[in-house]
Each structure stands twice: as C-alpha cells, then as structure tokens.
Amino acid sequence: MKKYQASSMQEAMKKIRADLGKQAVILQSKTVYSGGFLGFFKKKTIEVVAAVDPNARPEIKEKPRAGSIVEKSQPTMQSIHQADLLAKEVNELKKILAQYPREHAIAFDGLPEELKPPLVRLKEQEVSDVLITELQQDLLLKWKNSKGHVDEQEAFEWAKQWLVRKIGPLQEQAAQKKKYINIVGPTGVGKTTTLAKLAADSVLEKGKKVAFISTDTYRIAAINQLKTYADLLKVPIHVAYKAEDFTEILEHLEDYDVVYIDTAGRNYRDERYVQELKSMISFEEEVESYLVMSLTSKENDLKEIIDKFSLIPIEKFIFTKMDETKTHGTLLNLMCHFQKGVAFVTNGQNVPDDVVEVDTQTIVRIIFGEDV
C-alpha cells in the first residue's frame, strides 16, 4: 500500500500504473491543501492511496513463443500468507475510509489552537459546513488583527458575536406583531400542544384576552384536545368548517387581544392540504403564520416541508422536541438558508412551562450548549 501525490487525478493514475501495474486498486483519494497563509492561498493537490489487489490475477508481460515450455509457478505458503494479510488490511482500511468523508468534511489543520474549540462546537452541533467556514474566516481575520493575542474564551466570544450579527436581523423580524396567530405544520410535530402552551403563556403570564379557532375538522380528537385546554384556560373555542365560517368567527372575536388558529395535521407532501389552508384562512395583514417543525426530523425533510408550505406566507418558525435531541444546528441552518427567524422552541410536554420565547441571545446559548 503506497501513497501518491499529484496535481490531478490523471497524473496520479499514471504514477500508480507505472509503479504497481494494472492490478493496482485505489483505496482512497482526497484533496489536500498545503502552504498558504492564515488558511488562505493554499496549494491544491490530489492525494491517492493505492495497493495491488491481492485477488487479481498476475499480469503477463510477455506472450510465450510457440513451442516454448512455460513453467507454472506454484504459490508458496509465504505468498499465500502475505496475500491474506494484505486482503485483511485492505478490508480494515475500507471500513475506516467509509466514515472518513462524514467525520472530516472540514479539517481545522493549520489553524491556531485557540480558534478551534468554537469551530469544533459548531461541527458537533451539525451546523452546516458553509456557516462553519464563514465563522472560520471571521475568526482568522480577528486573530490576525489581534496579532495572535487571544485565548480560548475570547475565541468563543468572537464566535458568539459573529452569530449575533448573522441572525440578529432575522430575529428582529420574528417578534409577534399581529393579532391572529396561525399554527401550521405536518402531522406529529405537536402543533396543538404548542398552541396550547402559547395561549397559556398569553393568558397566565401576560394577562391577554385569548380565543381559539380550530380548522382541524378531520380529527375529532384534536378538537377535543383543544377544547380541554380552552376549558382549563376559560377561553372560547370556535370550529370553522369552511371559509365562510372562518370569516364570520373573526367578526365575533374583534374584542380579543390574541386569537390562536389550529390547523389540520396532514401529509405535507399532499399539496392539496396547503391549498385547503389557503382557501380556508384569509392571510391578510392581521394574520401571522408560524410553521411548526420537530428538531428530531432530518434536515432535508424539514427543507422539503418549508418548501411545501411556502405557498402560504410563513413569518417565522417554531421548533419542537428540542429536549429529544443533543444536536440543534439544524435550527441555525434553516434560519440562514430560508432567512427566517424563530419565534419559539419547546423542550418538553408540560403546559405552559416547556415553551421558550426565542430572541437572538437564546439561539446563541442553544448553539453553544448553554442553559436556555
């Protein structure tokens, strides 16, 4: 097994064929950057690990002449043993390399040691490589301006300042401004429970006059659940079966401070569901929509959910089940990707305790593993 470096894969293949012959197999290839200054202007090379396939038939370099006698070489015990060892080594290396791209997508080699901890923290939280690279460049510039006089604690402070600048404008847009709060999202994310938590906070902590509207006529259990919360909070609940019902109910609730609207939990991949929402609810100036999603879901699935619900105006996100996962980078990735703020996160089943209204500093604490 040998390691080769070249300026391109074509050049590397020529070296390997010349050295190991046609029986060579490539075990690993990756791009390596060397030299440069402060992480910039690095030289790009291709690094390839190759070996001779122990299971390949030996290459015949010269065709025997007619009439000549060719002796068949018999494999010795030593050659068989060496082939077995090489095959075992190749298999073990393949197992290690299978995990390599995921664990080492971004390397922090060459960085000042003091700058690595906040970057590693973001990597552990599964923050996107794009954002980590952006932070890395920001930290390097600050390190250069400080002439290297920085410790780990200050590097964390720099990272937090970068994050505040990144998401601060998004969170300023996320403050609740409208009277009618519409809760939408796929099935199974805890929309009704989240709505009850928000309503309980409005009634018990803020002393507001609150009412419920349910458009979830598909699930009797959901309406009964909301009625239970309404009875406990002593607030009215109305059920809208069609758009005309919804408009009429709004007229009866003019004197209320906040009206929470619960929608049906359906398969978000069915576009008819979102179209039904559009036809049921009048998304005018006084209606503000929150998209509820679970942090335990896959990030690609959440992106698809957001795309499907883009047919209606989504002002901000609510993330549930924060207590059921140790990684929260998805929250930051989606904020930056879709340029939307986060209104609330939930971290338990208790009503109304386990809901947190989110501001910029809250998200900073979540991402950097501090108490919320």
Side-chain angles (χ1 to χ4, degrees):
M1 184 172 60
K2 292 185 178 181
K3 184 184 294 184
Y4 300 84
Q5 284 194 340
S7 59
S8 66
M9 181 59 76
Q10 290 80 1
E11 182 183 342
M13 289 300 298
K14 289 181 180 179
K15 290 182 178 180
I16 293 169
R17 286 288 176 87
D19 189 20
L20 302 180
K22 295 182 179 180
Q23 285 75 34
V25 292
I26 293 177
L27 304 178
Q28 175 195 0
S29 66
K30 66 178 180 178
T31 302
V32 177
Y33 295 90
S34 60
F37 177 71
L38 294 178
F40 299 99
F41 313 113
K42 292 184 175 181
K43 181 181 178 182
K44 176 182 175 181
T45 57
I46 303 297
E47 184 176 285
V48 180
V49 178
V52 176
D53 187 351
N55 298 316
R57 297 180 64 183
E59 183 179 359
I60 300 175
K61 295 187 177 181
E62 183 179 352
K63 186 176 180 180
R65 293 189 304 273
S68 62
I69 300 175
V70 179
E71 295 183 0
K72 295 183 179 180
S73 60
Q74 298 296 325
T76 65
M77 291 300 294
Q78 182 180 2
S79 64
I80 294 173
H81 179 66
Q82 289 176 341
D84 289 342
L85 287 178
L86 183 57
K88 184 178 180 180
E89 184 179 356
V90 169
N91 290 331
E92 289 297 325
L93 185 57
K94 285 181 178 179
K95 291 178 182 179
I96 296 173
L97 294 178
Q99 297 181 349
Y100 188 89
R102 176 175 57 84
E103 295 178 354
H104 300 277
I106 287 186
F108 302 131
D109 296 340
L111 281 177
E113 289 299 322
E114 299 85 353
L115 301 184
K116 292 182 181 180
L119 295 168
V120 171
R121 172 62 190 176
L122 263 61
K123 189 66 177 175
E124 291 172 346
Q125 284 295 299
E126 299 182 2
V127 172
S128 73
D129 290 348
V130 172
L131 292 175
I132 293 176
T133 301
E134 184 179 327
L135 173 59
Q136 178 176 321
Q137 293 172 350
D138 187 83
L139 292 178
L140 278 170
L141 288 174
K142 282 187 166 54
W143 181 84
K144 179 182 177 182
N145 292 334
S146 71
K147 295 180 172 50
H149 299 300
V150 60
D151 57 21
E152 181 179 319
Q153 182 177 354
E154 188 170 6
F156 267 105
E157 289 304 316
W158 288 350
K160 293 176 183 178
Q161 292 167 13
W162 166 83
L163 187 53
V164 168
R165 294 194 302 273
K166 189 75 179 175
I167 64 174
L170 301 178
Q171 282 307 108
E172 289 176 5
Q173 301 172 12
Q176 179 180 326
K177 304 181 183 72
K178 299 179 182 178
K179 173 178 177 178
Y180 299 100
I181 306 300
N182 181 37
I183 305 295
V184 301
T187 183
V189 297
K191 290 193 309 299
T192 302
T193 302
T194 300
L195 182 143
K197 292 177 181 180
L198 300 181
D201 180 71
S202 295
V203 172
L204 303 176
E205 300 297 329
K206 300 175 182 176
K208 293 184 178 294
K209 189 177 181 182
V210 171
F212 288 141
I213 300 177
S214 176
T215 64
D216 189 356
T217 58
Y218 296 90
R219 298 180 304 148
I220 299 300
I223 296 178
N224 289 338
Q225 182 184 10
L226 196 59
K227 283 182 176 178
T228 300
Y229 291 130
D231 291 340
L232 291 172
L233 296 172
K234 296 181 171 56
V235 301
I237 178 173
H238 300 269
V239 180
Y241 294 92
K242 54 185 183 295
E244 293 78 8
D245 295 340
F246 187 81
T247 302
E248 185 177 342
I249 291 169
L250 293 186
E251 294 175 357
H252 289 291
L253 300 177
E254 288 184 355
D255 295 335
Y256 284 80
D257 300 320
V258 185
V259 177
Y260 290 98
I261 305 167
D262 191 24
T263 60
R266 305 277 294 284
N267 185 348
Y268 66 89
R269 288 190 173 92
D270 187 349
E271 290 190 3
R272 291 177 299 176
Y273 165 49
V274 181
Q275 292 291 353
E276 287 175 8
L277 282 176
K278 289 184 66 176
S279 64
M280 171 69 75
I281 299 172
S282 177
F283 293 95
E284 297 176 350
E285 292 184 2
E286 284 300 307
V287 176
E288 188 170 43
S289 296
Y290 297 170
L291 176 57
V292 182
M293 297 174 288
S294 169
L295 276 175
T296 60
S297 300
K298 296 178 181 178
E299 186 169 322
N300 285 338
D301 290 342
L302 295 180
K303 286 182 177 178
E304 184 180 355
I305 290 170
I306 296 170
D307 286 336
K308 292 294 185 182
F309 278 94
S310 64
L311 295 174
I312 61 178
I314 300 295
E315 277 80 12
K316 62 204 70 171
F317 300 141
I318 295 177
F319 289 102
T320 61
K321 304 183 181 182
M322 192 177 75
D323 56 311
E324 297 181 21
T325 176
K326 292 182 179 180
T327 57
H328 305 119
T330 294
L331 179 150
L332 179 60
N333 297 341
L334 295 178
M335 285 182 67
C336 295
H337 184 83
F338 291 96
Q339 289 295 288
K340 292 187 183 296
V342 177
F344 299 91
V345 295
T346 70
N347 52 8
Q349 297 295 318
N350 296 324
V351 178
D353 300 329
D354 296 333
V355 62
V356 178
E357 189 168 3
V358 171
D359 58 15
T360 301
Q361 291 300 327
T362 305
I363 295 175
V364 171
R365 290 194 296 272
I366 289 172
I367 297 301
F368 284 97
E370 301 171 1
D371 292 335
V372 176

